[in-house]
Amino acid sequence: MKRFQKTDLIVVALGVLGLLGFLIYFEKAFPTASVHLSVSNTQATAIAQQYLDSQHFNLEGYQETVIFKEDDNALYLQKTLGTDQFNHIASDLPLRYWEVRFFKELQYEEFRVKIDSQGDVIGFFHFLLETDEGQTLPQDDALLLAKNFLQHQEKISLSNYTLLNKSTKKRENRTDHYFTWETPEEKHAKASLRIDIVVHGDWIDHYNQYLKVPEDFWLAYEKERSKGGLLTSLSGIFSFLFTLSGYVFFLIVYKKTQIPWKGALALSVAMGSTSLINIMNAVPILESGYVTESPLYAFWGEIAVKSIQSSIWLGFKTFLIGIAGWAVCKEIFKGKRQDFLSGSGDLFTLDLTKSALMGYVLAGVSFGYVTFFYLMGEHYFGVWSPPENDYSNMLSTSLPFLEPLTRAFQAAVSEELLYRFFAIAFLIKYLKRRSLALLIPAMVWGLGHSNYAVFPFYIRAIELTIDGFIWGCFFLRYGLIAVIVAHFVFDAVLMGMPLIRSSNLYFNLSGIAVIGVMFIPVILWAIAAVKNKFVIQTPAATQLNEPAVYRTRKSTMRGR
């Protein structure tokens, strides 16, 4: 292994400075929409059951599932009021809530109850067939029933509300009435708080509090998102060409040379396994989407088959692109680039250790870069990035800390294999210019992230093209491990920050677990170093058709 050179030390210093800048200015560059949960999912389920019991609904034989949801209308207040003011009023608005669902297999009738972060019921829905029987009430009687429900059952004073809409629909065997109340707009930056009530026959079967925002906001929002979607589609074309080229290269290599089956297979199995773990962790989310008209065994059977298929396909793609990248790097760099697919497969060589450690440094550099990028963008160019608030998926999973870890791992491996490991070497081979070989994959990678909710729509493309170019340079100097580690650490930290900044202890611990897992590789390498079990990979180890020799301080042994 080459010793750390002066350039390496400068890069390490930049990584440390970048990390410090990120920690100091994180909240300004990436404001977090914090969530304060006073009730857990289990407590929310109990509250929902008690509420429906009080409405004299019989839940015997019903199954339940609970997920956490966020109203997209929160984006309007975050942009209009700013994150600090939004966080101050968010708990008083029906924007984040547990949704508890009660259902029976092969039965259309079901119940859903919305429980806000303070444990209050802010909505419930009783789903009936249009042909189900019920009473026929005059609209005035139904309106009186709805008012009594809000004032006596929900303890809501209608003195601050105006009756906005009322309508009646005659069904085959009953009459349904629909009512909407609204608060003045000035209270929430031209957004109004609304309440919907639906009377099925003579029963209150639908009650919902929600925020209504100006339609112009969503028109402008969707227009901007559609432009970003176009850039993402353009990226998809080039990504497909890279992938297709990788498959072709694999077929060529397969016939001509011995390939590193062991390392590539291990990586593909890890990807497939991570995919399955992520799906199993998301069972509550999947169950919330169950359509009761179909048998449960068919629902779960279809999910199981598709999950296995997608996991196998993900592992297969990883294997093919990994081998293609290994082959073209071997040809272009003559075995001088360190990767864990070649050689003995031992992850604790000194060369790979340096590569991994520089991955943490690259993550620090990127943290500092994106912090500076968005601070300058917001101050001088009107860039707006919605607060980091990816709670819906994480809080709805069985183990919240697994969500950012599995997603970060999959993104790190799949994207770095394609856009760095294969694409850079492939373009060097055919374009003969390293600058273009670094720039083109970085641009394709950046464009592929343009569908994120960051405005203007082209900002993420600019941000990640620059970042991708930097990562490409790191790949050329420090190898594949460096960029995979950096990508994993970067994504896991950003996705785990909402958990750490939550007021809920369990979610805090989940966020800490995310950070802890990221340092497991460093701990393992440190232990190996202390025990003097690092191995030094000889030049011959990068050529698979030659035996590799490994040395420790006490002995020399020959590996396969």
Side-chain angles (χ1 to χ4, degrees):
M1 180 188 75
K2 294 181 179 180
R3 294 180 179 274
F4 277 88
Q5 300 174 354
K6 184 178 180 180
T7 302
D8 301 328
L9 297 177
I10 293 174
V11 171
V12 170
L14 290 175
V16 172
L17 289 175
L19 180 60
L20 290 175
F22 171 78
L23 294 175
I24 295 171
Y25 296 105
F26 170 80
E27 188 57 39
K28 291 184 178 180
F30 308 100
T32 301
S34 58
V35 60
H36 303 281
L37 288 177
S38 299
V39 294
S40 65
N41 54 356
T42 304
Q43 292 171 322
T45 302
I47 293 172
Q49 289 173 332
Q50 294 172 3
Y51 181 84
L52 293 176
D53 286 341
S54 71
Q55 302 297 312
H56 306 294
F57 291 113
N58 184 9
L59 296 178
E60 184 178 355
Y62 279 81
Q63 301 180 54
E64 72 271 350
T65 183
V66 55
I67 60 174
F68 189 81
K69 283 191 171 183
E70 296 175 285
D71 192 332
D72 289 339
N73 288 323
L75 288 172
Y76 171 77
L77 293 182
Q78 290 163 359
K79 188 175 190 303
T80 307
L81 301 177
T83 305
D84 290 340
Q85 189 175 349
F86 169 78
N87 285 338
H88 182 69
I89 67 171
S91 59
D92 298 324
L93 296 173
L95 297 173
R96 298 181 181 133
Y97 51 88
W98 295 106
E99 183 181 85
V100 187
R101 181 190 184 196
F102 300 90
F103 64 93
K104 280 186 179 181
E105 184 180 11
L106 302 178
Q107 175 179 293
Y108 180 81
E109 183 181 14
E110 66 174 73
F111 302 89
R112 299 193 185 201
V113 183
K114 293 166 56 177
I115 312 293
D116 70 10
S117 59
Q118 307 303 313
D120 297 322
V121 175
I122 58 172
F124 94 93
F125 312 89
H126 181 201
F127 295 91
L128 294 174
L129 292 170
E130 293 184 358
T131 55
D132 286 343
E133 295 183 354
Q135 298 295 319
T136 298
L137 289 182
Q139 188 180 77
D140 289 343
D141 291 350
L143 178 59
L144 181 60
L145 184 67
K147 287 182 176 179
N148 287 334
F149 171 82
L150 291 174
Q151 291 174 336
H152 300 297
Q153 173 69 33
E154 301 302 326
K155 310 300 181 184
I156 296 176
S157 173
L158 292 177
S159 60
N160 296 324
Y161 288 82
T162 308
L163 183 60
L164 185 66
N165 291 311
K166 57 181 180 178
S167 61
T168 300
K169 191 165 187 177
K170 177 65 178 176
R171 303 292 184 187
E172 182 178 342
N173 297 311
R174 68 173 190 270
T175 300
D176 295 342
H177 302 276
Y178 303 85
F179 305 101
T180 299
W181 283 266
E182 183 182 54
T183 59
E185 295 181 351
E186 291 78 11
K187 195 170 184 179
H188 303 296
K190 295 186 178 180
S192 59
L193 187 62
R194 290 187 177 183
I195 299 176
D196 285 348
I197 293 286
V198 177
V199 181
H200 289 153
D202 59 350
W203 281 85
I204 304 292
D205 276 339
H206 177 114
Y207 153 61
N208 187 36
Q209 293 187 41
Y210 61 98
L211 198 68
K212 175 67 176 177
V213 305
E215 293 183 357
D216 290 347
F217 170 78
W218 284 115
L219 290 174
Y221 179 87
E222 293 300 333
K223 180 180 179 181
E224 204 73 2
R225 289 293 299 271
S226 65
K227 295 176 183 177
L230 178 61
L231 294 184
T232 301
S233 298
L234 180 63
S235 167
I237 295 174
F238 289 97
S239 297
F240 172 76
L241 293 176
F242 281 150
T243 304
L244 184 62
S245 300
Y247 294 165
V248 172
F249 214 87
F250 170 84
L251 294 176
I252 296 173
V253 171
Y254 176 75
K255 295 180 179 180
K256 291 185 176 181
T257 186
Q258 182 182 359
I259 60 178
W261 294 95
K262 184 178 178 180
L265 185 60
L267 190 59
S268 64
V269 169
M271 284 289 280
S273 300
T274 304
S275 176
L276 285 175
I277 291 172
N278 194 37
I279 293 169
M280 289 188 290
N281 192 40
V283 163
I285 300 174
L286 297 172
E287 190 173 31
S288 69
Y290 166 60
V291 179
T292 55
E293 286 85 343
S294 63
L296 269 171
Y297 74 84
F299 172 76
W300 288 119
E302 182 180 4
I303 288 178
V305 171
K306 288 183 177 179
S307 299
I308 294 172
Q309 288 176 340
S310 62
S311 298
I312 291 175
W313 176 238
L314 178 61
F316 184 63
K317 289 193 298 182
T318 301
F319 181 84
L320 295 183
I321 296 299
I323 294 300
W326 165 82
V328 70
C329 283
K330 180 181 177 183
E331 177 182 344
I332 297 300
F333 303 127
K334 310 301 181 185
K336 295 180 181 179
R337 289 290 171 269
Q338 289 299 323
D339 68 80
F340 54 90
L341 299 182
S342 58
S344 70
D346 194 329
L347 288 176
F348 296 105
T349 65
L350 288 174
D351 290 316
L352 293 185
T353 300
K354 177 182 177 181
S355 181
L357 292 175
M358 294 307 294
Y360 287 93
V361 172
L362 174 56
V365 171
S366 291
F367 282 133
Y369 158 71
V370 296
T371 300
F372 176 81
F373 183 91
Y374 281 103
L375 282 176
M376 295 299 101
E378 291 170 9
H379 187 73
Y380 294 105
F381 303 104
V383 173
W384 178 61
S385 175
E388 296 290 333
N389 60 345
D390 192 12
Y391 290 111
S392 294
N393 286 336
M394 286 190 291
L395 272 59
S396 299
T397 58
S398 302
L399 297 172
F401 77 92
L402 283 179
E403 171 76 10
L405 291 175
T406 54
R407 286 173 55 191
F409 178 78
Q410 290 179 18
V413 173
S414 60
E415 294 178 20
E416 296 312 315
L417 284 182
L418 181 61
Y419 297 111
R420 249 67 71 181
F421 196 43
F422 173 75
I424 289 178
F426 179 77
L427 292 176
I428 289 177
K429 174 179 173 65
Y430 291 103
L431 297 182
K432 311 298 183 183
R433 294 186 61 181
R434 291 201 173 194
S435 57
L436 287 178
L438 289 169
L439 180 60
I440 292 174
M443 289 182 64
V444 175
W445 185 54
L447 290 172
H449 292 75
S450 299
N451 59 341
Y452 282 59
V454 179
F455 306 99
F457 68 93
Y458 51 80
I459 283 298
R460 285 234 73 190
I462 296 175
E463 170 209 339
L464 291 182
T465 296
I466 297 172
D467 209 22
F469 192 91
I470 296 171
W471 286 37
C473 293
F474 260 76
F475 164 70
L476 290 180
R477 184 172 180 86
Y478 301 110
L480 176 62
I481 280 278
V483 288
I484 287 182
V485 168
H487 198 146
F488 172 71
V489 170
F490 186 87
D491 282 4
V493 167
L494 287 186
M495 286 188 279
M497 284 302 273
L499 289 174
I500 293 176
R501 298 181 66 83
S502 169
S503 63
N504 183 281
L505 178 60
Y506 175 66
F507 299 134
N508 290 155
L509 295 176
S510 296
I512 293 172
V514 172
I515 304 299
V517 169
M518 293 188 316
F519 289 100
I520 287 179
V522 172
I523 295 172
L524 292 177
W525 275 305
I527 293 173
V530 170
K531 292 183 177 181
N532 299 320
K533 290 186 178 180
F534 273 118
V535 294
I536 302 175
Q537 192 168 357
T538 67
T542 57
Q543 306 298 329
L544 292 181
N545 57 346
E546 298 179 22
V549 178
Y550 303 95
R551 297 193 185 106
T552 66
R553 291 187 179 180
K554 297 181 179 180
S555 64
T556 301
M557 59 183 178
R558 188 173 298 275
R560 293 183 180 180

